[in-house]
Amino acid sequence: MGSELYDTTTGTVLWGLANPGWLGKAWTTRKGLRPLHLTEDERSGKTGRVKARRLLRTPAWSPFLRGIEPYHELLTTIRHSVAHQDAILPFAYDWRLPVATNALELATAARDHLEQWRRHPAHAAARKHRVDEREGRLVFIAHSMGGLLTQAALALGPDGDLAADTRGVMTLGTPFQGAVMAAAILNTGQGAPLPLPHGKLRTLASTMPGVHDLLPRFPCLDEGLTVRRLAPADVADLGGDKDLAVQSQAFHDRLRGHALPGHRAVVGVSQRTLQSMTLEDGVVTGFEHAFREHTDGELMRDAHGVPRRFPVGGDGTVHKESAARTRTVIPLALQHGALATGDAAMEAVTSFLEEDEHLGPDQAASGLGLTVPDFVTPGTTWEIQVTGTDDPAGITCTVTGTDGGFTKPARLYADEDDALTARIQVPDAGLYRVTVEADGPTPLTQLVLAGPEEDDSDEE
């Protein structure tokens, strides 16, 4: 959801306005997200109504996914490491559509961009400073779903030479094996009351191939003495679309086994992250532990034959083992959105682009985790939890409005073993950023949306 979407038929921006007030209207009014729903024409492949004009320029928010930070810090970092700003191509895409559809556009855009850069005067000058005066090649820096697009563009795109013309790929929190969070989004509210924004996301997500491409493909469905992968029938049972699940499974089957050239993964750690689930009577219950298999595909079990549980952790959205395709990873204690903004992540990007010897950046907040609600009500007390320590010394927590109109410190106190808690209220509806600072170069951050309580008369 990091790209601004524009409706070509109405001339309106559907996602990504500069005014923070648009978020509240999008998530708490009846028609706020309706134009984002895929039409029958779009599902059949007739796209073009919605265009991705550019990357987000202001923070955004979604239930479950919480904060969606803009990419200006990432772009600024990259500009400092290239020969000329024309060497950079920001690639926005319609994230509602299948990964495969967007990957074809990425492959075409990457080839055109490389050919244009190789004809650029700055390219000729830069070659004189490279070993053997080598020609410029592609480097992909991809956050979240963007890593899946990159993998598909290089492996399945029409340009068979694109991978050979790629020096490296850095992924930031990419769910290569999917995320249980996607199943939770599609299942939101099944058998339970829910805030209005969560119901609106479920309604939207059920029409989106892009969400189905993010469903978990590792053994995550806990059935007691067995743990298995989700099948299309399970996706339909939990509230998704069976046909979209079948199409997504076929896409990932084609993608399996295709390695990324020069791949280095930045992986979020230490954050509470859904890693497995149960599915009973159509209701998903998520858990913060994973299961592992031996090399022969058999589950690891204890002495009593019960599947072993491993609290792997992750970035709050993607668990560590899904984001790490190989053992060459950079672990950072950051939330999913901050993996494309934090200082430590930016150091990793700079090192990768400049081809310096890679020793890994300093980690953020030394193993601290941050947990906050994704949606709160103004004037109502809610909790911030910092995990990984029970000592508040040297740790500060602040809540600020993204519009700059509100700042308030939150006092942390020891609430349980290896955790700190703060309780706070915000006065008005809007988007707020929780920041936790400790020893280390990069603070932990997460976005929280404040809005009115559920209004049954306003549901879609």
Side-chain angles (χ1 to χ4, degrees), residues 267-315:
V267 175
V269 298
S270 301
Q271 313 306 306
R272 298 177 60 180
T273 308
L274 296 183
Q275 302 157 54
S276 60
M277 54 181 274
T278 58
L279 179 58
E280 298 180 0
D281 299 323
V283 177
V284 167
T285 302
F287 297 95
E288 295 173 5
H289 58 253
F291 301 92
R292 289 175 177 164
E293 296 176 320
H294 293 292
T295 54
D296 61 2
E298 291 295 319
L299 278 172
M300 295 181 65
R301 301 177 183 271
D302 64 18
H304 303 287
V306 178
R308 292 185 180 275
R309 292 165 169 79
F310 298 88
V312 174
D315 62 22

mmCIF file of all heavy atoms in Angstrom, residues 267-315:
data_model
loop_
_atom_site.group_PDB
_atom_site.id
_atom_site.type_symbol
_atom_site.label_atom_id
_atom_site.label_comp_id
_atom_site.label_asym_id
_atom_site.label_seq_id
_atom_site.Cartn_x
_atom_site.Cartn_y
_atom_site.Cartn_z
ATOM 1 N N VAL A 267 15.893 -8.102 7.525
ATOM 2 C CA VAL A 267 14.834 -8.866 8.177
ATOM 3 C C VAL A 267 14.535 -8.263 9.543
ATOM 4 O O VAL A 267 15.456 -8.046 10.346
ATOM 5 C CB VAL A 267 15.259 -10.346 8.337
ATOM 6 C CG1 VAL A 267 14.218 -11.129 9.120
ATOM 7 C CG2 VAL A 267 15.490 -10.972 6.963
ATOM 8 N N GLY A 268 13.277 -7.985 9.808
ATOM 9 C CA GLY A 268 12.879 -7.484 11.107
ATOM 10 C C GLY A 268 12.850 -8.592 12.149
ATOM 11 O O GLY A 268 12.426 -9.716 11.856
ATOM 12 N N VAL A 269 13.308 -8.293 13.360
ATOM 13 C CA VAL A 269 13.342 -9.273 14.447
ATOM 14 C C VAL A 269 12.829 -8.614 15.727
ATOM 15 O O VAL A 269 12.667 -7.395 15.804
ATOM 16 C CB VAL A 269 14.766 -9.835 14.687
ATOM 17 C CG1 VAL A 269 15.270 -10.564 13.458
ATOM 18 C CG2 VAL A 269 15.734 -8.708 15.064
ATOM 19 N N SER A 270 12.549 -9.458 16.715
ATOM 20 C CA SER A 270 12.210 -9.050 18.091
ATOM 21 C C SER A 270 10.815 -8.461 18.254
ATOM 22 O O SER A 270 10.422 -8.136 19.371
ATOM 23 C CB SER A 270 13.238 -8.043 18.647
ATOM 24 O OG SER A 270 14.529 -8.597 18.650
ATOM 25 N N GLN A 271 10.039 -8.320 17.167
ATOM 26 C CA GLN A 271 8.684 -7.797 17.277
ATOM 27 C C GLN A 271 7.681 -8.952 17.337
ATOM 28 O O GLN A 271 7.861 -9.984 16.689
ATOM 29 C CB GLN A 271 8.357 -6.890 16.087
ATOM 30 C CG GLN A 271 9.441 -5.866 15.758
ATOM 31 C CD GLN A 271 9.835 -5.011 16.941
ATOM 32 O OE1 GLN A 271 8.990 -4.394 17.583
ATOM 33 N NE2 GLN A 271 11.126 -4.974 17.245
ATOM 34 N N ARG A 272 6.629 -8.779 18.112
ATOM 35 C CA ARG A 272 5.582 -9.803 18.208
ATOM 36 C C ARG A 272 4.902 -9.945 16.851
ATOM 37 O O ARG A 272 4.371 -8.972 16.304
ATOM 38 C CB ARG A 272 4.584 -9.431 19.291
ATOM 39 C CG ARG A 272 5.193 -9.351 20.686
ATOM 40 C CD ARG A 272 4.182 -8.914 21.721
ATOM 41 N NE ARG A 272 3.066 -9.842 21.796
ATOM 42 C CZ ARG A 272 2.031 -9.695 22.635
ATOM 43 N NH1 ARG A 272 1.977 -8.642 23.435
ATOM 44 N NH2 ARG A 272 1.052 -10.582 22.653
ATOM 45 N N THR A 273 4.907 -11.162 16.305
ATOM 46 C CA THR A 273 4.465 -11.392 14.928
ATOM 47 C C THR A 273 3.681 -12.700 14.844
ATOM 48 O O THR A 273 4.118 -13.726 15.369
ATOM 49 C CB THR A 273 5.679 -11.474 13.978
ATOM 50 O OG1 THR A 273 6.508 -10.323 14.159
ATOM 51 C CG2 THR A 273 5.240 -11.561 12.527
ATOM 52 N N LEU A 274 2.543 -12.680 14.159
ATOM 53 C CA LEU A 274 1.789 -13.915 13.934
ATOM 54 C C LEU A 274 2.585 -14.841 13.027
ATOM 55 O O LEU A 274 3.091 -14.417 11.984
ATOM 56 C CB LEU A 274 0.436 -13.610 13.296
ATOM 57 C CG LEU A 274 -0.559 -12.790 14.118
ATOM 58 C CD1 LEU A 274 -1.873 -12.642 13.356
ATOM 59 C CD2 LEU A 274 -0.808 -13.426 15.480
ATOM 60 N N GLN A 275 2.679 -16.130 13.421
ATOM 61 C CA GLN A 275 3.490 -17.086 12.673
ATOM 62 C C GLN A 275 2.751 -18.389 12.377
ATOM 63 O O GLN A 275 3.212 -19.192 11.566
ATOM 64 C CB GLN A 275 4.767 -17.399 13.467
ATOM 65 C CG GLN A 275 5.607 -16.170 13.765
ATOM 66 C CD GLN A 275 6.503 -16.356 14.967
ATOM 67 O OE1 GLN A 275 7.273 -17.325 15.020
ATOM 68 N NE2 GLN A 275 6.428 -15.475 15.949
ATOM 69 N N SER A 276 1.633 -18.639 13.054
ATOM 70 C CA SER A 276 0.834 -19.837 12.816
ATOM 71 C C SER A 276 -0.610 -19.534 13.198
ATOM 72 O O SER A 276 -0.911 -18.444 13.707
ATOM 73 C CB SER A 276 1.379 -21.034 13.612
ATOM 74 O OG SER A 276 1.356 -20.755 15.002
ATOM 75 N N MET A 277 -1.502 -20.484 12.960
ATOM 76 C CA MET A 277 -2.918 -20.219 13.160
ATOM 77 C C MET A 277 -3.694 -21.512 13.294
ATOM 78 O O MET A 277 -3.235 -22.588 12.905
ATOM 79 C CB MET A 277 -3.474 -19.431 11.964
ATOM 80 C CG MET A 277 -3.198 -20.104 10.612
ATOM 81 S SD MET A 277 -3.819 -19.207 9.189
ATOM 82 C CE MET A 277 -5.507 -19.851 9.135
ATOM 83 N N THR A 278 -4.886 -21.400 13.867
ATOM 84 C CA THR A 278 -5.872 -22.464 13.803
ATOM 85 C C THR A 278 -7.052 -21.932 12.995
ATOM 86 O O THR A 278 -7.260 -20.716 12.896
ATOM 87 C CB THR A 278 -6.349 -22.905 15.197
ATOM 88 O OG1 THR A 278 -6.904 -21.767 15.890
ATOM 89 C CG2 THR A 278 -5.192 -23.482 16.005
ATOM 90 N N LEU A 279 -7.839 -22.822 12.423
ATOM 91 C CA LEU A 279 -9.029 -22.459 11.656
ATOM 92 C C LEU A 279 -10.155 -23.384 12.087
ATOM 93 O O LEU A 279 -10.180 -24.558 11.720
ATOM 94 C CB LEU A 279 -8.757 -22.589 10.153
ATOM 95 C CG LEU A 279 -9.918 -22.272 9.203
ATOM 96 C CD1 LEU A 279 -10.419 -20.845 9.415
ATOM 97 C CD2 LEU A 279 -9.491 -22.479 7.747
ATOM 98 N N GLU A 280 -11.058 -22.865 12.890
ATOM 99 C CA GLU A 280 -12.155 -23.656 13.425
ATOM 100 C C GLU A 280 -13.473 -22.929 13.176
ATOM 101 O O GLU A 280 -13.639 -21.777 13.579
ATOM 102 C CB GLU A 280 -11.963 -23.906 14.922
ATOM 103 C CG GLU A 280 -10.703 -24.700 15.253
ATOM 104 C CD GLU A 280 -10.534 -24.922 16.733
ATOM 105 O OE1 GLU A 280 -11.410 -24.453 17.511
ATOM 106 O OE2 GLU A 280 -9.533 -25.550 17.141
ATOM 107 N N ASP A 281 -14.401 -23.625 12.502
ATOM 108 C CA ASP A 281 -15.705 -23.046 12.168
ATOM 109 C C ASP A 281 -15.558 -21.711 11.438
ATOM 110 O O ASP A 281 -16.324 -20.764 11.663
ATOM 111 C CB ASP A 281 -16.556 -22.864 13.431
ATOM 112 C CG ASP A 281 -16.844 -24.176 14.143
ATOM 113 O OD1 ASP A 281 -17.039 -25.186 13.448
ATOM 114 O OD2 ASP A 281 -16.859 -24.184 15.387
ATOM 115 N N GLY A 282 -14.545 -21.634 10.570
ATOM 116 C CA GLY A 282 -14.354 -20.443 9.760
ATOM 117 C C GLY A 282 -13.669 -19.295 10.472
ATOM 118 O O GLY A 282 -13.547 -18.212 9.903
ATOM 119 N N VAL A 283 -13.180 -19.503 11.691
ATOM 120 C CA VAL A 283 -12.565 -18.433 12.477
ATOM 121 C C VAL A 283 -11.077 -18.716 12.636
ATOM 122 O O VAL A 283 -10.681 -19.801 13.077
ATOM 123 C CB VAL A 283 -13.226 -18.295 13.861
ATOM 124 C CG1 VAL A 283 -12.520 -17.223 14.686
ATOM 125 C CG2 VAL A 283 -14.706 -17.952 13.702
ATOM 126 N N VAL A 284 -10.240 -17.737 12.273
ATOM 127 C CA VAL A 284 -8.794 -17.840 12.411
ATOM 128 C C VAL A 284 -8.373 -17.322 13.784
ATOM 129 O O VAL A 284 -8.811 -16.250 14.213
ATOM 130 C CB VAL A 284 -8.078 -17.021 11.314
ATOM 131 C CG1 VAL A 284 -6.592 -16.864 11.627
ATOM 132 C CG2 VAL A 284 -8.264 -17.679 9.961
ATOM 133 N N THR A 285 -7.531 -18.078 14.462
ATOM 134 C CA THR A 285 -6.865 -17.615 15.676
ATOM 135 C C THR A 285 -5.368 -17.675 15.419
ATOM 136 O O THR A 285 -4.828 -18.736 15.090
ATOM 137 C CB THR A 285 -7.222 -18.493 16.887
ATOM 138 O OG1 THR A 285 -8.645 -18.498 17.075
ATOM 139 C CG2 THR A 285 -6.556 -17.955 18.152
ATOM 140 N N GLY A 286 -4.717 -16.537 15.516
ATOM 141 C CA GLY A 286 -3.296 -16.468 15.219
ATOM 142 C C GLY A 286 -2.434 -16.674 16.447
ATOM 143 O O GLY A 286 -2.848 -16.359 17.572
ATOM 144 N N PHE A 287 -1.222 -17.201 16.242
ATOM 145 C CA PHE A 287 -0.294 -17.463 17.334
ATOM 146 C C PHE A 287 1.097 -16.949 16.972
ATOM 147 O O PHE A 287 1.475 -16.902 15.796
ATOM 148 C CB PHE A 287 -0.231 -18.964 17.637
ATOM 149 C CG PHE A 287 -1.538 -19.525 18.109
ATOM 150 C CD1 PHE A 287 -2.416 -20.133 17.212
ATOM 151 C CD2 PHE A 287 -1.913 -19.429 19.444
ATOM 152 C CE1 PHE A 287 -3.640 -20.637 17.641
ATOM 153 C CE2 PHE A 287 -3.128 -19.938 19.880
ATOM 154 C CZ PHE A 287 -3.998 -20.548 18.979
ATOM 155 N N GLU A 288 1.858 -16.614 18.017
ATOM 156 C CA GLU A 288 3.192 -16.047 17.823
ATOM 157 C C GLU A 288 4.270 -17.114 17.971
ATOM 158 O O GLU A 288 5.289 -16.910 18.634
ATOM 159 C CB GLU A 288 3.395 -14.902 18.810
ATOM 160 C CG GLU A 288 2.451 -13.736 18.543
ATOM 161 C CD GLU A 288 2.519 -12.653 19.608
ATOM 162 O OE1 GLU A 288 3.372 -12.768 20.513
ATOM 163 O OE2 GLU A 288 1.714 -11.708 19.548
ATOM 164 N N HIS A 289 4.067 -18.251 17.353
ATOM 165 C CA HIS A 289 5.103 -19.278 17.268
ATOM 166 C C HIS A 289 5.008 -19.967 15.909
ATOM 167 O O HIS A 289 3.956 -19.958 15.264
ATOM 168 C CB HIS A 289 4.987 -20.313 18.400
ATOM 169 C CG HIS A 289 3.664 -21.022 18.446
ATOM 170 N ND1 HIS A 289 2.710 -20.772 19.420
ATOM 171 C CD2 HIS A 289 3.107 -21.957 17.639
ATOM 172 C CE1 HIS A 289 1.647 -21.528 19.214
ATOM 173 N NE2 HIS A 289 1.865 -22.258 18.136
ATOM 174 N N ALA A 290 6.120 -20.547 15.480
ATOM 175 C CA ALA A 290 6.193 -21.221 14.183
ATOM 176 C C ALA A 290 6.529 -22.685 14.394
ATOM 177 O O ALA A 290 6.882 -23.121 15.497
ATOM 178 C CB ALA A 290 7.262 -20.553 13.312
ATOM 179 N N PHE A 291 6.397 -23.450 13.316
ATOM 180 C CA PHE A 291 6.767 -24.865 13.302
ATOM 181 C C PHE A 291 7.867 -25.053 12.264
ATOM 182 O O PHE A 291 7.975 -24.291 11.305
ATOM 183 C CB PHE A 291 5.562 -25.736 12.959
ATOM 184 C CG PHE A 291 4.417 -25.581 13.915
ATOM 185 C CD1 PHE A 291 3.398 -24.659 13.681
ATOM 186 C CD2 PHE A 291 4.349 -26.354 15.068
ATOM 187 C CE1 PHE A 291 2.348 -24.513 14.566
ATOM 188 C CE2 PHE A 291 3.296 -26.214 15.960
ATOM 189 C CZ PHE A 291 2.296 -25.292 15.706
ATOM 190 N N ARG A 292 8.664 -26.083 12.460
ATOM 191 C CA ARG A 292 9.761 -26.330 11.524
ATOM 192 C C ARG A 292 9.736 -27.773 11.066
ATOM 193 O O ARG A 292 9.249 -28.664 11.770
ATOM 194 C CB ARG A 292 11.110 -26.014 12.183
ATOM 195 C CG ARG A 292 11.341 -24.530 12.405
ATOM 196 C CD ARG A 292 12.614 -24.254 13.164
ATOM 197 N NE ARG A 292 12.857 -22.821 13.295
ATOM 198 C CZ ARG A 292 13.707 -22.281 14.146
ATOM 199 N NH1 ARG A 292 14.434 -23.072 14.948
ATOM 200 N NH2 ARG A 292 13.866 -20.978 14.209
ATOM 201 N N GLU A 293 10.297 -27.990 9.868
ATOM 202 C CA GLU A 293 10.374 -29.321 9.281
ATOM 203 C C GLU A 293 11.827 -29.774 9.177
ATOM 204 O O GLU A 293 12.731 -28.952 9.007
ATOM 205 C CB GLU A 293 9.747 -29.323 7.879
ATOM 206 C CG GLU A 293 8.260 -29.026 7.853
ATOM 207 C CD GLU A 293 7.721 -28.949 6.440
ATOM 208 O OE1 GLU A 293 8.425 -28.388 5.560
ATOM 209 O OE2 GLU A 293 6.613 -29.447 6.202
ATOM 210 N N HIS A 294 12.020 -31.082 9.259
ATOM 211 C CA HIS A 294 13.329 -31.649 8.941
ATOM 212 C C HIS A 294 13.536 -31.578 7.430
ATOM 213 O O HIS A 294 12.624 -31.257 6.656
ATOM 214 C CB HIS A 294 13.396 -33.105 9.418
ATOM 215 C CG HIS A 294 13.358 -33.255 10.912
ATOM 216 N ND1 HIS A 294 14.386 -32.848 11.727
ATOM 217 C CD2 HIS A 294 12.401 -33.767 11.731
ATOM 218 C CE1 HIS A 294 14.081 -33.106 12.986
ATOM 219 N NE2 HIS A 294 12.875 -33.669 13.025
ATOM 220 N N THR A 295 14.742 -31.889 6.975
ATOM 221 C CA THR A 295 15.031 -31.810 5.539
ATOM 222 C C THR A 295 14.199 -32.794 4.725
ATOM 223 O O THR A 295 14.030 -32.609 3.520
ATOM 224 C CB THR A 295 16.524 -32.068 5.282
ATOM 225 O OG1 THR A 295 16.895 -33.324 5.885
ATOM 226 C CG2 THR A 295 17.377 -30.956 5.870
ATOM 227 N N ASP A 296 13.659 -33.849 5.375
ATOM 228 C CA ASP A 296 12.811 -34.806 4.655
ATOM 229 C C ASP A 296 11.349 -34.383 4.625
ATOM 230 O O ASP A 296 10.490 -35.114 4.138
ATOM 231 C CB ASP A 296 12.935 -36.206 5.264
ATOM 232 C CG ASP A 296 12.489 -36.254 6.730
ATOM 233 O OD1 ASP A 296 12.054 -35.212 7.259
ATOM 234 O OD2 ASP A 296 12.597 -37.343 7.343
ATOM 235 N N GLY A 297 11.060 -33.180 5.171
ATOM 236 C CA GLY A 297 9.694 -32.675 5.151
ATOM 237 C C GLY A 297 8.864 -33.043 6.358
ATOM 238 O O GLY A 297 7.715 -32.589 6.481
ATOM 239 N N GLU A 298 9.415 -33.856 7.266
ATOM 240 C CA GLU A 298 8.676 -34.249 8.468
ATOM 241 C C GLU A 298 8.765 -33.155 9.521
ATOM 242 O O GLU A 298 9.797 -32.502 9.682
ATOM 243 C CB GLU A 298 9.229 -35.556 9.033
ATOM 244 C CG GLU A 298 8.946 -36.768 8.156
ATOM 245 C CD GLU A 298 7.463 -37.078 8.049
ATOM 246 O OE1 GLU A 298 6.771 -36.979 9.086
ATOM 247 O OE2 GLU A 298 6.994 -37.395 6.930
ATOM 248 N N LEU A 299 7.668 -32.957 10.249
ATOM 249 C CA LEU A 299 7.644 -31.958 11.303
ATOM 250 C C LEU A 299 8.600 -32.324 12.430
ATOM 251 O O LEU A 299 8.775 -33.502 12.752
ATOM 252 C CB LEU A 299 6.236 -31.843 11.892
ATOM 253 C CG LEU A 299 5.209 -30.972 11.158
ATOM 254 C CD1 LEU A 299 3.846 -31.156 11.802
ATOM 255 C CD2 LEU A 299 5.617 -29.511 11.194
ATOM 256 N N MET A 300 9.208 -31.320 13.016
ATOM 257 C CA MET A 300 9.970 -31.529 14.239
ATOM 258 C C MET A 300 8.984 -31.736 15.388
ATOM 259 O O MET A 300 8.065 -30.938 15.580
ATOM 260 C CB MET A 300 10.874 -30.330 14.515
ATOM 261 C CG MET A 300 11.950 -30.120 13.473
ATOM 262 S SD MET A 300 13.022 -28.685 13.849
ATOM 263 C CE MET A 300 13.792 -29.251 15.366
ATOM 264 N N ARG A 301 9.173 -32.810 16.149
ATOM 265 C CA ARG A 301 8.248 -33.155 17.233
ATOM 266 C C ARG A 301 9.017 -33.391 18.521
ATOM 267 O O ARG A 301 10.220 -33.697 18.505
ATOM 268 C CB ARG A 301 7.431 -34.403 16.877
ATOM 269 C CG ARG A 301 6.584 -34.256 15.603
ATOM 270 C CD ARG A 301 5.850 -35.546 15.261
ATOM 271 N NE ARG A 301 5.101 -35.424 14.015
ATOM 272 C CZ ARG A 301 3.843 -34.996 13.935
ATOM 273 N NH1 ARG A 301 3.191 -34.646 15.052
ATOM 274 N NH2 ARG A 301 3.227 -34.924 12.771
ATOM 275 N N ASP A 302 8.316 -33.257 19.653
ATOM 276 C CA ASP A 302 8.945 -33.554 20.931
ATOM 277 C C ASP A 302 8.854 -35.052 21.217
ATOM 278 O O ASP A 302 8.409 -35.840 20.360
ATOM 279 C CB ASP A 302 8.316 -32.736 22.058
ATOM 280 C CG ASP A 302 6.841 -33.060 22.298
ATOM 281 O OD1 ASP A 302 6.368 -34.130 21.850
ATOM 282 O OD2 ASP A 302 6.165 -32.244 22.957
ATOM 283 N N ALA A 303 9.280 -35.459 22.417
ATOM 284 C CA ALA A 303 9.323 -36.882 22.759
ATOM 285 C C ALA A 303 7.942 -37.522 22.768
ATOM 286 O O ALA A 303 7.818 -38.756 22.668
ATOM 287 C CB ALA A 303 9.991 -37.054 24.125
ATOM 288 N N HIS A 304 6.891 -36.729 22.867
ATOM 289 C CA HIS A 304 5.520 -37.254 22.897
ATOM 290 C C HIS A 304 4.845 -37.171 21.522
ATOM 291 O O HIS A 304 3.640 -37.438 21.404
ATOM 292 C CB HIS A 304 4.691 -36.485 23.925
ATOM 293 C CG HIS A 304 5.271 -36.520 25.307
ATOM 294 N ND1 HIS A 304 5.234 -37.641 26.112
ATOM 295 C CD2 HIS A 304 5.942 -35.563 26.014
ATOM 296 C CE1 HIS A 304 5.834 -37.378 27.266
ATOM 297 N NE2 HIS A 304 6.271 -36.122 27.229
ATOM 298 N N GLY A 305 5.591 -36.769 20.515
ATOM 299 C CA GLY A 305 5.036 -36.685 19.166
ATOM 300 C C GLY A 305 4.305 -35.400 18.874
ATOM 301 O O GLY A 305 3.683 -35.257 17.811
ATOM 302 N N VAL A 306 4.353 -34.446 19.775
ATOM 303 C CA VAL A 306 3.669 -33.166 19.574
ATOM 304 C C VAL A 306 4.585 -32.226 18.776
ATOM 305 O O VAL A 306 5.779 -32.119 19.085
ATOM 306 C CB VAL A 306 3.312 -32.523 20.932
ATOM 307 C CG1 VAL A 306 2.654 -31.159 20.728
ATOM 308 C CG2 VAL A 306 2.400 -33.449 21.721
ATOM 309 N N PRO A 307 4.062 -31.548 17.754
ATOM 310 C CA PRO A 307 4.900 -30.613 16.980
ATOM 311 C C PRO A 307 5.540 -29.550 17.876
ATOM 312 O O PRO A 307 4.879 -28.962 18.735
ATOM 313 C CB PRO A 307 3.912 -29.984 15.991
ATOM 314 C CG PRO A 307 2.838 -31.010 15.822
ATOM 315 C CD PRO A 307 2.701 -31.658 17.175
ATOM 316 N N ARG A 308 6.826 -29.333 17.683
ATOM 317 C CA ARG A 308 7.541 -28.335 18.474
ATOM 318 C C ARG A 308 7.172 -26.924 18.009
ATOM 319 O O ARG A 308 6.982 -26.674 16.814
ATOM 320 C CB ARG A 308 9.051 -28.531 18.346
ATOM 321 C CG ARG A 308 9.570 -29.815 18.984
ATOM 322 C CD ARG A 308 11.091 -29.858 18.912
ATOM 323 N NE ARG A 308 11.622 -31.072 19.509
ATOM 324 C CZ ARG A 308 11.872 -31.232 20.813
ATOM 325 N NH1 ARG A 308 11.628 -30.240 21.645
ATOM 326 N NH2 ARG A 308 12.367 -32.377 21.263
ATOM 327 N N ARG A 309 7.111 -26.023 18.965
ATOM 328 C CA ARG A 309 6.776 -24.624 18.683
ATOM 329 C C ARG A 309 8.010 -23.749 18.893
ATOM 330 O O ARG A 309 8.690 -23.873 19.906
ATOM 331 C CB ARG A 309 5.626 -24.172 19.578
ATOM 332 C CG ARG A 309 4.295 -24.858 19.240
ATOM 333 C CD ARG A 309 3.279 -24.665 20.354
ATOM 334 N NE ARG A 309 1.952 -25.079 19.930
ATOM 335 C CZ ARG A 309 1.536 -26.320 19.871
ATOM 336 N NH1 ARG A 309 2.360 -27.310 20.216
ATOM 337 N NH2 ARG A 309 0.304 -26.617 19.477
ATOM 338 N N PHE A 310 8.252 -22.859 17.928
ATOM 339 C CA PHE A 310 9.415 -21.984 17.980
ATOM 340 C C PHE A 310 8.957 -20.528 17.890
ATOM 341 O O PHE A 310 8.378 -20.141 16.863
ATOM 342 C CB PHE A 310 10.375 -22.294 16.829
ATOM 343 C CG PHE A 310 10.930 -23.684 16.846
ATOM 344 C CD1 PHE A 310 10.254 -24.730 16.235
ATOM 345 C CD2 PHE A 310 12.135 -23.946 17.485
ATOM 346 C CE1 PHE A 310 10.772 -26.023 16.239
ATOM 347 C CE2 PHE A 310 12.655 -25.228 17.502
ATOM 348 C CZ PHE A 310 11.974 -26.270 16.882
ATOM 349 N N PRO A 311 9.181 -19.721 18.925
ATOM 350 C CA PRO A 311 8.824 -18.295 18.869
ATOM 351 C C PRO A 311 9.855 -17.515 18.054
ATOM 352 O O PRO A 311 10.785 -16.927 18.589
ATOM 353 C CB PRO A 311 8.815 -17.877 20.342
ATOM 354 C CG PRO A 311 9.803 -18.792 20.989
ATOM 355 C CD PRO A 311 9.733 -20.107 20.234
ATOM 356 N N VAL A 312 9.688 -17.502 16.750
ATOM 357 C CA VAL A 312 10.691 -16.940 15.850
ATOM 358 C C VAL A 312 10.702 -15.417 15.878
ATOM 359 O O VAL A 312 11.750 -14.787 15.759
ATOM 360 C CB VAL A 312 10.448 -17.454 14.411
ATOM 361 C CG1 VAL A 312 11.383 -16.768 13.427
ATOM 362 C CG2 VAL A 312 10.620 -18.962 14.360
ATOM 363 N N GLY A 313 9.541 -14.800 16.027
ATOM 364 C CA GLY A 313 9.464 -13.340 15.972
ATOM 365 C C GLY A 313 9.578 -12.828 14.553
ATOM 366 O O GLY A 313 9.656 -13.578 13.578
ATOM 367 N N GLY A 314 9.600 -11.512 14.419
ATOM 368 C CA GLY A 314 9.682 -10.906 13.089
ATOM 369 C C GLY A 314 9.589 -9.398 13.189
ATOM 370 O O GLY A 314 10.077 -8.801 14.157
ATOM 371 N N ASP A 315 8.923 -8.781 12.198
ATOM 372 C CA ASP A 315 8.829 -7.323 12.173
ATOM 373 C C ASP A 315 7.441 -6.815 12.531
ATOM 374 O O ASP A 315 7.102 -5.667 12.272
ATOM 375 C CB ASP A 315 9.257 -6.781 10.800
ATOM 376 C CG ASP A 315 8.369 -7.270 9.653
ATOM 377 O OD1 ASP A 315 7.211 -7.664 9.890
ATOM 378 O OD2 ASP A 315 8.832 -7.257 8.500
#
